[in-house]
Amino acid sequence: MENALSSPLQMSAAPVRHARRSKRNRSVIPGFGLTMGLTLAWLSLIVLIPLSTVFIRSAGMGWADFLAAGFSPRAVAAYTVSFGTAFAAALVNAVFGLLTAWVIVRYDFPGKRVVNALIDLPFALPTAVAGIALTAIYAGNGWVGQFFEPLGIQLAYTPVGITLALIFIGLPFIVRSVEPVLEDMSAEVEEAALSLGANPWQIFSRVILPAILPSLLTGFALAFARGVGEYGSVIFIAGNMPFKSEIAPLLIITQLEQYDYAGATAIATVMLVASFAVLLLINLIQAWSRRRMNG
Amino acid sequence: MNTLSFIRARHLLIAAALAFIALFLVLPLVSVFVAALQKGLAAYGAALIDPDALSAIRLTLLVAAIAVPLNIVFGVLAAWSIAKFDFPGKSLLVTFIDLPFSVSPVVAGLIYVLMFGAQGWFGPWLQEHDVQIIFAVPGIVLATIFVTFPFVARELIPLMSEQGRDDEEAALSLGASGFQTFLRVTLPNIRWGLLYGVLLCNARAMGEFGAVSVVSGHLRGITNTMPLHVEILYNEYNFVAAFAVASLLALLALVTLVLKSIVEWRFGYHHGSAKH
């Protein structure tokens, strides 16, 4: 049985492989050696070798020293602030980013093009500019902060302020991830569900959400990863109190200024491993989504 | 559910989205210009022609003038080798090119300190030969190249992959040289994608803060870029001057968005694809 199945497969596989090889030989486009060589050289010089310094330095520290520096109470508190605020901001953006993408894709309203262009503002606006602007708005005497001050709620210089800055930074990641999927989804599916008697909530949770879930998760992961490493837009509004509102990237800078290279390197290693984990997660989500689409 | 309540729901959703965008995107942008002009045009102008501000503007333009062209060359080379040829490990290479986007800007600065700083791998050798990279302009350029590394390449790779190699093969079979083919066939095909990538690359190069902050040393008038100058002024409670310099960067962002939108609307370029 096994032989009967495998032999036709082998027979069909051979010509395919042969065809592919001969096509590659036929390719007349020049410059592969040159462009690939320069790409690999430049990539190694600018990205790979410099990034390897962090891991090589950490490996040279020894396990005990690495743990002491990378997971000191102050470092763990900083991770908690960075990861916690990035997660909260990504959650808020998942809701409002999805809403924004939906409104842009499905509805027409005056000024839609301007709104669509503005979504990318956080990509284009330098983070330091965003940082001082957000601080001015959310400080106790600011345009928004003044309404919360009398209630005894402080926005700037607390983790709430950090979260507000990360909402600003992360919004386009969600909108731009979800938008193309919503564009490809025809309104007919929703109309069919409606004609079958589904209510709006059922249409959203049973029809729309399952279709956009992979792209929503990808956008969430991208916004989260960006938020964890974000520095410029956060430090002005953060307050930067150790154990309370100190983010991990700031702690790296503090260690560097005290010439504690080992401490800075250990924290950088933890952050790099975390971002690589998120990167892997995004790839898994996309592989899952492709399998689901094909299956 | 009748039609009326559907229209009402639509208006509600549009209103909620617009309110969110107004609060989180428009308000910060407007506040930059309001704060910059709150003491009048004279104070605004004075902050911009201050010698330290001018030298920060010059340095920012210099850094972008080095980093952006290098990334254009790299992006085109990388996209050519990845999109026009088949080889094993292609997706791994693309992941490596995207890597700088997942690295915190502060870590991006730190890695160059570990390479070229006084305690770094090449620190002693550099000191012997009296070359300074960290706390000097070369370090700022390197850190900027790192953070802007993927912009052009990631725009061109999907675009050139979708376009395939038929056009190039036709040109080559008609006797064009490899370079002629690139210049006359490939470049016109990818021009809007290239421009799109360059716009975003340039905005980031001029606006980078975290990575540059680590390697700069913050020497006024020498190693301060515009974003670093904004920080110094802000920390000195010189808010009008800080927001005045920040308003130039905000204008840069607005110009970037307008040009990007023109590429999208007028020329039908869709980010990340070859739809024309």
Side-chain angles (χ1 to χ4, degrees), chain B residues 23-56:
Chain B
L23 182 64
F24 275 89
L25 298 182
V26 179
L27 209 57
L29 186 62
V30 172
S31 80
V32 173
F33 294 99
V34 171
L37 293 166
Q38 66 183 352
K39 295 251 168 77
L41 272 174
Y44 180 78
L48 295 185
I49 57 164
D50 174 80
D52 288 340
L54 286 177
S55 85

Side-chain angles (χ1 to χ4, degrees), chain A residues 137-266:
Chain A
I137 290 173
Y138 293 112
N141 57 357
W143 288 351
V144 176
Q146 60 179 323
F147 297 108
F148 290 86
E149 182 97 332
L151 308 171
I153 300 171
Q154 205 189 356
L155 299 176
Y157 317 119
T158 68
V160 178
I162 301 175
T163 309
L164 289 167
L166 294 181
I167 291 172
F168 173 84
I169 288 297
L171 180 68
F173 288 99
I174 307 264
V175 177
R176 297 306 182 213
S177 297
V178 176
E179 219 178 354
V181 185
L182 282 179
E183 271 167 6
D184 286 345
M185 233 170 82
S186 79
E188 285 166 27
V189 187
E190 293 143 45
E191 279 159 18
L194 192 69
S195 70
L196 291 170
N199 65 38
W201 171 248
Q202 284 172 324
I203 295 176
F204 175 74
S205 62
R206 304 264 183 92
V207 179
I208 299 167
L209 197 60
I212 59 165
L213 191 62
S215 62
L216 190 62
L217 286 174
T218 301
F220 183 93
L222 286 170
F224 175 74
R226 172 68 198 262
V228 168
E230 179 57 23
Y231 178 72
S233 62
V234 172
I235 47 152
F236 297 99
I237 204 170
N240 305 327
M241 289 279 292
F243 295 99
K244 285 202 182 91
S245 54
E246 183 179 56
I247 54 167
L250 178 71
L251 187 55
I252 293 179
I253 289 197
T254 310
Q255 311 273 42
L256 267 183
E257 278 168 358
Q258 295 164 357
Y259 301 101
D260 182 0
Y261 282 56
T265 308

Side-chain angles (χ1 to χ4, degrees), chain A:
Chain A
M1 186 65 194
E2 210 175 20
N3 274 335
L5 264 177
S6 63
S7 60
L9 275 178
Q10 275 170 349
M11 276 177 64
S12 68
V16 168
R17 204 179 298 143
H18 178 73
R20 195 182 293 155
R21 190 186 299 139
S22 68
K23 194 181 173 197
R24 192 185 301 173
N25 284 344
R26 254 190 320 136
S27 174
V28 286
I29 295 180
F32 179 67
L34 180 73
T35 56
M36 178 56 73
L38 286 172
T39 299
L40 288 178
W42 187 239
L43 176 71
S44 304
L45 280 176
I46 296 291
V47 178
L48 298 181
I49 296 172
L51 269 181
S52 72
T53 57
V54 171
F55 295 102
I56 293 172
R57 281 245 178 173
S58 286
M61 283 168 71
W63 195 234
D65 285 349
F66 176 78
L67 284 182
F71 291 93
S72 68
R74 187 171 168 186
V76 171
Y79 301 140
T80 312
V81 172
S82 280
F83 286 85
T85 52
F87 192 81
L91 271 185
V92 173
N93 274 332
V95 175
F96 285 95
L98 175 57
L99 170 69
T100 307
W102 175 264
V103 165
I104 286 175
V105 171
R106 283 302 163 90
Y107 303 145
D108 273 317
F109 52 92
K112 179 170 154 173
R113 282 187 157 181
V114 177
V115 170
N116 195 14
L118 261 179
I119 301 293
D120 286 326
L121 179 71
F123 285 158
L125 190 70
T127 53
V129 178
I132 62 170
L134 292 167
T135 310
I137 290 173
Y138 293 112
N141 57 357
W143 288 351
V144 176
Q146 60 179 323
F147 297 108
F148 290 86
E149 182 97 332
L151 308 171
I153 300 171
Q154 205 189 356
L155 299 176
Y157 317 119
T158 68
V160 178
I162 301 175
T163 309
L164 289 167
L166 294 181
I167 291 172
F168 173 84
I169 288 297
L171 180 68
F173 288 99
I174 307 264
V175 177
R176 297 306 182 213
S177 297
V178 176
E179 219 178 354
V181 185
L182 282 179
E183 271 167 6
D184 286 345
M185 233 170 82
S186 79
E188 285 166 27
V189 187
E190 293 143 45
E191 279 159 18
L194 192 69
S195 70
L196 291 170
N199 65 38
W201 171 248
Q202 284 172 324
I203 295 176
F204 175 74
S205 62
R206 304 264 183 92
V207 179
I208 299 167
L209 197 60
I212 59 165
L213 191 62
S215 62
L216 190 62
L217 286 174
T218 301
F220 183 93
L222 286 170
F224 175 74
R226 172 68 198 262
V228 168
E230 179 57 23
Y231 178 72
S233 62
V234 172
I235 47 152
F236 297 99
I237 204 170
N240 305 327
M241 289 279 292
F243 295 99
K244 285 202 182 91
S245 54
E246 183 179 56
I247 54 167
L250 178 71
L251 187 55
I252 293 179
I253 289 197
T254 310
Q255 311 273 42
L256 267 183
E257 278 168 358
Q258 295 164 357
Y259 301 101
D260 182 0
Y261 282 56
T265 308
I267 295 167
T269 307
V270 175
M271 291 190 63
L272 277 177
V273 170
S275 25
F276 293 162
V278 174
L279 207 63
L280 185 70
L281 186 72
I282 293 171
N283 283 327
L284 289 177
I285 294 169
Q286 277 163 355
W288 166 63
S289 146
R290 267 196 301 275
R291 222 175 25 246
R292 221 177 50 154
M293 298 280 277
N294 296 334

